[in-house]
């Protein structure tokens, strides 16, 4: 694995089937969960840089724990609070607020670190910039080391890998009845602020690529997502109909995609409740967190037996660990840049 930006990065020449490639990663992730330190020498003498242009709890800490489990040194840099304001536009006349161009910063970071991980949320102001993944692509172009997305303009791949790990793990522990095929419903939920489409885009991309579930996305009509991610899913505007016989309900808010980054409705009737859960096949409820309680999801569900959110967040470590281990195995033996120690 060279970079980890989307589901496309896990498809290799040896494993060109995305579903099989995801299943293989999940199996390795669950092996790490059973034995976290089995590869503790793999990352010896390797440094990983975690760059945050936005806040984080789970992504930051789970990736640090995963790196430590592999014997790597992790250094976190909160670019938004401690770094120079970064410019990404090619040819920009930097007479405004930005101080350092990514063309200058990324190659330096690529010398300090063997792997660079970056969180850079979308602006939700300029759809073309956000959906061109200008930040991730700039780091891929200029850093010269593998890049891992910690959530980007359009996607959150470590979250989505985690979510499939969590679903598969649950199905191993509690095998579904019948032919074993499960139904996953991704449902829009109300929120007070316009949020990125990264998590729902990414959920759709990974669940569609996995191909092992009947997959339904339900949302108010104005909240269509980008078809490049949703193609393959059944889209329904009636949440109650969509929830029928669901085995897993993934709850998430997102802002509008077409008229970009807006809130059109905040209808509280879209919040998942115990009553709505009765329509499902006693579904397990997932959310990437952080969650606004009693706005997006009710206390009764989050604190009840159907919630998988804590297990899901805990599994972030194993998703990060398997991705970092795959990248470490693909690094050239002497990678370390110009500042590598003299033997
Ligand atoms: N789910 C998730 O990415 O959480 P953080 O924003 O806390 O990292």
């Amino acid at each position: 694995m060279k970079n980890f930006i989307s589901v496309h990065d896990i498809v290799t020449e040896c494993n060109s089937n995305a579903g099989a490639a995801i299943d293989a990663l999940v199996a390795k992730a669950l092996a790490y969960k059973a034995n976290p330190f089995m590869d503790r020498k793999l990352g010896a003498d390797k440094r990983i840089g975690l760059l945050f242009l936005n806040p984080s709890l789970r992504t930051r800490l789970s990736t640090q724990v995963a790196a430590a489990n592999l014997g790597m040194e992790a250094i976190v840099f909160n670019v938004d609070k401690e770094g120079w304001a970064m410019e990404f536009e090619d040819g920009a006349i930097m007479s405004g607020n930005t101080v350092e161009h990514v063309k200058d910063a990324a190659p330096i970071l690529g010398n300090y670190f063997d792997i660079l991980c970056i969180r850079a949320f979308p602006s939700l102001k300029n759809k073309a910039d956000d959906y061109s993944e200008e930040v991730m692509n700039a780091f891929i172009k200029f850093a010269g080391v593998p890049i891992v997305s910690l959530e980007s303009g359009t996607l959150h791949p470590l979250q989505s890998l985690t979510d499939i790990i969590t679903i598969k793990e649950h199905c191993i522990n509690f095998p579904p009845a019948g032919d074993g095929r499960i139904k996953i419903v991704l449902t829009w939920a109300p929120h007070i602020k316009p949020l990125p489409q990264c998590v729902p885009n990414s959920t759709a991309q990974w669940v569609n690529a996995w191909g092992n579930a009947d997959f339904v996305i339900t949302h108010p009509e104005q909240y269509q997502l980008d078809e490049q991610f949703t193609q393959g899913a059944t889209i329904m505007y009636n949440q109650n109909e969509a929830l029928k016989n669901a085995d897993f309900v993934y709850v998430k808010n997102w802002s509008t995609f077409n008229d970009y980054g807006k809130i059109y409705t905040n209808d509280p009737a879209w919040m998942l409740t115990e009553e709505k859960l009765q329509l499902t096949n006693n579904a397990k409820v997932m959310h990437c967190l952080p969650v606004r309680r009693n706005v997006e999801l009710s206390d009764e569900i989050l604190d009840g037996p159907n919630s998988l959110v804590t297990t899901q967040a805990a599994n972030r470590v194993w998703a990060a660990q398997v991705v970092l281990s795959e990248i470490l195995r693909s690094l050239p033996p002497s990678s370390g840049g110009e500042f590598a120690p003299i033997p």
Side-chain angles (χ1 to χ4, degrees):
M1 196 185 294
K2 284 192 184 133
N3 301 298
F4 186 71
I5 307 299
S6 86
V7 77
H8 303 301
D9 293 307
I10 69 161
V11 176
T12 62
E13 282 170 23
C14 307
N15 205 350
S16 60
N17 176 320
I22 293 171
D23 280 336
L25 277 188
V26 171
K28 287 179 194 170
L30 292 176
Y32 277 132
K33 185 168 184 171
N35 189 359
F37 304 114
M38 67 181 175
D39 278 332
R40 69 187 324 160
K41 294 202 170 102
L42 186 64
D45 303 327
K46 300 289 183 202
R47 287 175 304 254
I48 183 169
L50 307 177
L51 270 57
F52 285 87
L53 282 79
N54 312 96
S56 168
L57 186 152
R58 281 144 291 267
T59 307
R60 170 181 175 148
L61 296 172
S62 63
T63 310
Q64 278 185 278
V65 171
N69 288 349
L70 294 167
M72 301 184 82
E73 182 188 5
I75 297 177
V76 176
F77 182 31
N78 295 311
V79 182
D80 56 338
K81 297 182 186 69
E82 297 152 1
W84 300 113
M86 213 174 281
E87 177 63 57
F88 291 92
E89 187 188 330
D90 202 20
I93 298 168
M94 290 173 54
S95 56
N97 292 331
T98 56
V99 178
E100 176 152 45
H101 203 286
V102 67
K103 276 185 188 180
D104 302 312
I108 298 164
L109 296 167
N111 269 286
Y112 295 159
F113 298 108
D114 300 283
I115 300 174
L116 262 183
C117 306
I118 297 141
R119 167 166 279 198
F121 288 169
S123 67
L124 292 182
K125 294 189 174 74
N126 184 325
K127 179 156 76 171
D129 283 354
D130 291 345
Y131 273 68
S132 71
E133 290 289 6
E134 64 169 354
V135 175
M136 288 296 149
N137 285 330
F139 276 100
I140 289 171
K141 185 170 177 186
F142 297 116
V145 293
I147 302 297
V148 174
S149 166
L150 302 176
E151 191 166 345
S152 68
T154 64
L155 293 168
H156 194 356
L158 283 173
Q159 181 68 55
S160 301
L161 174 57
T162 301
D163 298 337
I164 294 183
I165 291 167
T166 306
I167 289 169
K168 276 207 75 167
E169 181 185 41
H170 186 79
C171 291
I172 290 167
N173 293 334
F174 303 95
D179 65 359
R181 193 159 175 89
I182 53 168
K183 177 176 174 183
I184 302 173
V185 177
L186 168 63
T187 180
W188 183 89
H191 200 284
I192 57 158
K193 290 172 75 177
L195 296 191
Q197 295 105 32
C198 306
V199 170
N201 283 345
S202 199
T203 305
Q205 185 189 52
W206 281 73
V207 174
N208 280 326
W210 187 41
N212 289 332
D214 295 326
F215 182 40
V216 175
I217 304 174
T218 184
H219 54 72
E221 279 191 46
Q222 308 94 329
Y223 284 84
Q224 288 97 345
L225 293 161
D226 188 341
E227 280 183 11
Q228 69 168 305
F229 305 116
T230 60
Q231 211 160 39
T234 303
I235 312 291
M236 298 177 79
Y237 302 134
N238 183 325
Q239 189 191 39
N240 286 349
E241 281 298 313
L243 290 171
K244 280 183 186 161
N245 299 318
D247 297 294
F248 295 88
V249 181
Y250 200 111
V251 179
K252 186 73 184 84
N253 169 270
W254 60 88
S255 59
T256 53
F257 169 69
N258 289 328
D259 180 20
Y260 192 55
K262 305 278 192 315
I263 295 179
Y264 270 32
T265 173
N266 230 350
D267 185 356
W270 276 82
M271 185 178 80
L272 193 71
T273 56
E274 276 292 335
E275 195 182 347
K276 285 176 191 266
L277 210 52
Q278 300 306 316
L279 298 166
T280 71
N281 185 23
N282 195 24
K284 291 295 168 187
V285 178
M286 303 177 70
H287 189 289
C288 62
L289 305 181
V291 62
R292 296 225 178 204
R293 281 177 173 251
N294 304 311
V295 177
E296 283 181 271
L297 254 176
S298 61
D299 275 343
E300 56 183 0
I301 289 189
L302 281 164
D303 299 334
N306 290 65
S307 173
L308 271 188
V309 300
T310 305
T311 305
Q312 189 183 353
N315 280 341
R316 292 292 306 268
V317 171
W318 319 117
Q321 192 162 337
V322 74
V323 166
L324 296 182
S325 73
E326 292 295 304
I327 293 175
L328 282 169
R329 286 179 217 283
S330 69
L331 286 180
S334 63
S335 77
E338 288 171 24
F339 307 144
I342 297 164

